[in-house]
Amino acid sequence: EVQLVESGGNLVQPGGSLRLSCTASGFSFSSYWMSWVRQAPGKGPEWVANIKQDGSEKQYVESVKGRFTISRDNAKNSLYLQMNSLRAEDTAVYYCGKDMEVWGKGTTVTVSS
Amino acid sequence: QSVLTQPPSASGTPGQTVTMSCSGSSSNIGTSSVNWYQQLPGAAPKLLISNNYQRPSGVPDRFSGSRSGTSASLAISGLQSEDEADYYCVAWDRSLAAWVFGGGTKLTVL
């Protein structure tokens, strides 16, 4: 069974940084694109970023380019999202995804002073 | 404003068939496969349909998807109370180089 467990969400001040982690199990992690999707309170999901199997290709939604960095460690079956220069509008539940198919339960990021 | 357009609400009575739409353009649905998700309150989105019409293992055959031109549809037959949820479509947009979601359709089972 595919399992994705996110961690690292927290309350952070505007301008601050946070690193999210996702530990995967139940599938061949290194064989899949991996994604981050977020969902602000009361809103629909928004794709944030994804990364190719070997990490050689990364794509981001326009609103996070230059601020967020997606990475992965295939030896550890882990996906990461480094978030810098955080803004109030980044407040959301962040989900880790196996491609765009299966999602974890999410971790909550709140950006507020 | 979402790139993919979904009606904000839909409703039906138990046993009925409900269809919801997802409208896009030639840069997304017109050239890319569509996935559909169901989101129950407080839960993560769950994949219902991938690649326009394929059901993952465990998804009842009451759920079906289709795509025609720049639009896609999700149909739910034999509507049940537990189908009450939010439904989202998503597709890759080659112009934006991004995955784009619809705004979601809230399904109410009367």
Side-chain angles (χ1 to χ4, degrees):
Chain A
E1 180 193 2
V2 173
Q3 286 206 334
L4 298 162
V5 180
E6 303 91 339
S7 60
N10 211 333
L11 169 65
V12 61
Q13 291 190 338
S17 297
L18 214 50
R19 188 195 195 209
L20 305 183
S21 299
C22 169
T23 301
S25 61
F27 66 101
S28 178
F29 180 79
S30 60
S31 298
Y32 289 89
W33 280 79
M34 295 295 293
S35 301
W36 288 99
V37 161
R38 66 185 178 184
Q39 190 166 24
K43 304 291 185 182
E46 177 188 37
W47 171 78
V48 174
N50 63 3
I51 184 169
K52 198 175 179 178
Q53 290 90 330
D54 61 358
S56 61
E57 193 172 334
K58 305 174 185 181
Q59 298 161 325
Y60 300 91
V61 69
E62 193 64 37
S63 61
V64 308
K65 285 180 181 176
R67 300 189 299 123
F68 289 12
T69 302
I70 189 172
S71 62
R72 65 191 296 163
D73 185 336
N74 287 342
K76 295 183 178 180
N77 286 353
S78 293
L79 178 71
Y80 307 101
L81 187 67
Q82 177 66 43
M83 305 187 295
N84 299 330
S85 302
L86 282 161
R87 307 167 180 167
E89 53 265 36
D90 296 319
T91 294
V93 176
Y94 284 72
Y95 297 102
C96 160
K98 167 181 170 279
D99 209 335
M100 287 293 285
E101 297 182 347
V102 182
W103 306 97
K105 296 188 186 307
T107 187
T108 300
V109 173
T110 303
V111 184
S112 174
S113 54
Chain B
Q1 201 79 330
S2 301
V3 174
L4 303 183
T5 301
Q6 296 182 251
S9 63
S11 63
T13 56
Q16 272 190 331
T17 295
V18 169
T19 301
M20 54 191 76
S21 63
C22 175
S23 179
S25 69
S26 58
S27 67
N28 41 66
I29 295 178
T31 49
S32 172
S33 296
V34 177
N35 289 356
W36 288 90
Y37 304 89
Q38 176 193 61
Q39 189 172 33
L40 298 171
K46 170 193 168 186
L47 183 68
L48 279 183
I49 298 288
S50 64
N51 296 322
N52 303 318
Y53 61 87
Q54 295 178 332
R55 277 188 312 277
S57 172
V59 174
D61 59 7
R62 302 188 296 108
F63 295 90
S64 62
S66 64
R67 182 186 72 169
S68 178
T70 58
S71 292
S73 294
L74 173 71
I76 308 173
S77 61
L79 201 60
Q80 299 178 4
S81 58
E82 55 260 41
D83 298 333
E84 192 161 282
D86 294 321
Y87 293 84
Y88 296 95
C89 58
V90 70
W92 177 257
D93 190 296
R94 64 178 183 179
S95 295
L96 297 173
W99 287 93
V100 291
F101 279 88
T105 296
K106 185 175 187 64
L107 175 64
T108 300
V109 180
L110 302 169

